[in-house]
Amino acid sequence: MHVASVMVRSYIIGIMPRQRRSPRDRTRTSHTFRPDRSVLERLSWLFPLLVAGITFIAFFPALRNGFVVWDDDKNFLNNPHYRGLGLTQLHWMWTTAALGHYVPLSWMTLGLDFEIWGMQPLGYHLTNILLHCANAVLVYYVCMRLIRYARLRKGDEWSLVVGSTFAALLFAVHPLRVESVVWVTERRDVLSMLFFLGSLLSYLRAARARTARRGAYWLSVVLFACALLSKATAMVLPAVLIVLEIYPLRKLGNALPSKDVTPKRIYLDLVPFVLLSGAGMILSTFALHRPAQLPHTGKIAVSAYSLCFYLLKTFVPIDLSPLYQMPLQVNPLASQYVASYLGVVALMLAALAAQRRFPAVPAAIFAFIAATLPMLGVVQNGPQITADRYTYFAAPALSILVGATMTLEGLAPRVLRIASTLAVIVLGYLTWQQSKVWHDTGSLWAQALLVDDKSSIAHSAWASHVSKQGRIAEALEHSQLAVALSPGDPEAHNALGVALARQGKVDEAIPHFQRALAIKPWLDEAENNWGVAVAQQNDLAGAIEHYRRAAALNPDNPEVHVNWGNALVRMSEPDEAIGHYQETLRIRPQDADAEHNWGVALARQNEYEEAIGHFRRALMTNPMHGDTREYLERATQLLQEQSAKTAPAKP
């Protein structure tokens, strides 16, 4: 950004006419560049474009990423319901709470992605990045408006532009943003933030002239509703607005009385936001699949730890992970939690100490806390104690504070500009590298294990990943470690059962599937894998019963239908088996197993020509798929023999 600023300055100097100056004037202006305001107005489009361009470059590696087996499989790869924008898909989008979230507008954008890109991940990643670039530009404009409101007298436009540009970049290219931007599942983050910032900007526009700009006010309300329908995290907006009404708008607290705007009027204006926020909270509560909750002392400990974690990672963004697993036991008196209590107290004291001379500091701190409050552990909503994505809505508060500081006069702001230039370069590089972590499932869980080798979820996920690659011994080692670390983790028992079954130890595998279902009765993967183990014992009827129960738990599990079809083929019922392969391909259109086994079922009926077509499609999906090439050659040979037998004899 510093290099770009120098280029812009050089350009401006080149187009401005030279003027004779007295020695006194040259002395006074030699240390500070002040371009003409009219020139800045003509070039105003350049700085948001610069912000968007640098942001796009920082996240460019994500365009090479695929979907990952960390909710992407459930949301996209194995989910036929979102694919398109027909009435059936729209009905599903507006009535589902899949994976504990009610996000119909986010689903609509994903349905549009499918219409354009199909199942190509590049398009989904491109949309996420473009939305994030738009959010960076909105942070730029929000920062400009807030700084203008904070000034008691008209300030220098150049410093305002520079400060807003750095504020937007410090938000946008920070590696903590990677999870929200690069993980396709988190489309809800970037889309909700777009509406959130749009609502905030419209509210600020109306705030200075409430009676004259009611259209901007109601636009703000509508955009807030859209933000909530994209992700319920946006419910924090009313709390953020109250902070801003205190400072920099100065309408609440120690504000001077005004005939046009009274505190009562402000509170009335906030009522629609509060009502919408409450509705969003209720919807999210019903949609959320909440795990077992911590006791109140544990929640306080986790909340303090989370807040300090987010602040620390903001300034030192290293050792980032897709999963920071919640420990099995939370001891509120453990050292890391005691240190967190002290950190929170120190933060509050710093905010109070700065209140009189630097009111922007407590405003930024309390806005940051308000924006992260729903994710601080008050309600436990997953296996994580913290998550990088939980900083997405809060991060602008701190970056705007830095940008505002740059607009002041003196040596410190100039030093801060140099430091921020270096920070943008370093953060951009870290974001580039962190984006590669999400390249595929293997790189994702490798990073999780690198940061925390005591995570049972990471070991279990890695075991499932390497098991699919045929690395059974490695899968067994990691799944055993996962069970040892967390005996109550159903996915760990399921992964261990799979590894044992693939080693032929079916009798040892089945108790782990039973244990997984005892802990989590709706775990369809365990029911399906139990069926596979029973099929290995040649009890095909018993296996089908397990597949039937798994399909009842989750009709959209393609593995269930493939395995069910395989059992039916072995029972010499190929017609019924084909129906299950068709269902698999409806759920997951590119499934080499389903295409291959459909070909086998047809070959058993002597339908060699059709079987060849399915074998070829299986190889198109996965050129290295099993024995498909041998099956294709054999089916081709049998088709030739069949044709020779039915060909009319030569006279």
Side-chain angles (χ1 to χ4, degrees), residues 8 25 76 130 209 220 230 232 270 272 312 317 324 376 386 432 434 449 476 492 523 550 573 598 616 619 636:
V8 172
D25 290 336
F76 312 115
L130 291 177
S220 176
S230 302
L270 289 172
L312 177 62
Y324 308 98
L376 288 181
T386 57
W432 179 286
Q434 187 68 15
L449 286 172
L476 182 61
L523 188 60
E573 298 181 19
W598 191 345
R616 286 175 175 167
L619 289 172
T636 302

Side-chain angles (χ1 to χ4, degrees), residues 430-644:
L430 292 175
T431 292
W432 179 286
Q433 296 300 119
Q434 187 68 15
S435 295
K436 297 178 182 178
V437 168
W438 292 80
H439 180 269
D440 54 52
T441 303
S443 59
L444 182 79
W445 293 115
Q447 176 67 15
L449 286 172
L450 182 65
V451 174
D452 180 11
D453 62 358
K454 302 299 182 183
S455 169
S456 63
I457 295 175
H459 280 290
S460 178
W462 182 259
S464 297
H465 173 68
V466 298
S467 178
K468 293 175 183 177
Q469 297 179 333
R471 294 151 59 183
I472 307 304
E474 186 178 352
L476 182 61
E477 177 185 352
H478 282 276
S479 55
Q480 287 174 331
L481 184 54
V483 170
L485 289 168
S486 181
D489 184 347
E491 280 79 8
H493 283 282
N494 180 56
L496 179 54
V498 169
L500 289 168
R502 292 199 174 189
Q503 284 193 332
K505 302 175 181 178
V506 178
D507 292 336
E508 296 180 40
I510 289 177
H512 287 286
F513 299 134
Q514 294 171 329
R515 176 61 177 158
L517 287 165
I519 300 169
K520 190 176 181 179
W522 59 91
L523 188 60
D524 55 289
E525 293 95 337
E527 193 73 67
N528 171 65
N529 291 327
W530 189 352
V532 173
V534 170
Q536 287 181 251
Q537 297 175 321
N538 294 318
D539 182 2
L540 299 179
I544 288 175
E545 185 57 34
H546 286 290
Y547 300 144
R548 184 175 287 109
R549 287 203 289 266
L553 292 170
N554 180 13
D556 294 328
N557 186 334
E559 303 294 339
V560 171
H561 293 286
V562 169
N563 293 329
W564 197 338
N566 294 347
L568 289 168
V569 169
R570 291 175 62 186
M571 295 173 69
S572 299
E573 298 181 19
D575 289 334
E576 190 177 348
I578 287 173
H580 287 283
Y581 299 139
Q582 290 173 327
E583 182 65 11
T584 298
L585 292 168
R586 182 190 71 84
I587 299 168
R588 191 165 61 193
Q590 294 182 330
D591 191 300
D593 285 341
E595 293 284 7
H596 172 89
N597 293 328
W598 191 345
V600 172
L602 289 168
R604 290 201 174 195
Q605 295 177 303
N606 298 324
E607 300 288 345
Y608 299 119
E609 187 171 358
E610 291 185 46
I612 287 170
H614 287 285
F615 291 141
R616 286 175 175 167
R617 282 194 286 274
L619 289 172
M620 288 176 62
T621 302
N622 180 6
M624 306 300 294
H625 184 264
D627 300 324
T628 302
R629 200 169 299 278
E630 295 179 16
Y631 276 80
L632 174 60
E633 293 173 358
R634 179 59 177 161
T636 302
Q637 180 183 354
L638 291 172
L639 177 63
Q640 292 172 348
E641 294 175 0
Q642 187 182 64
S643 299

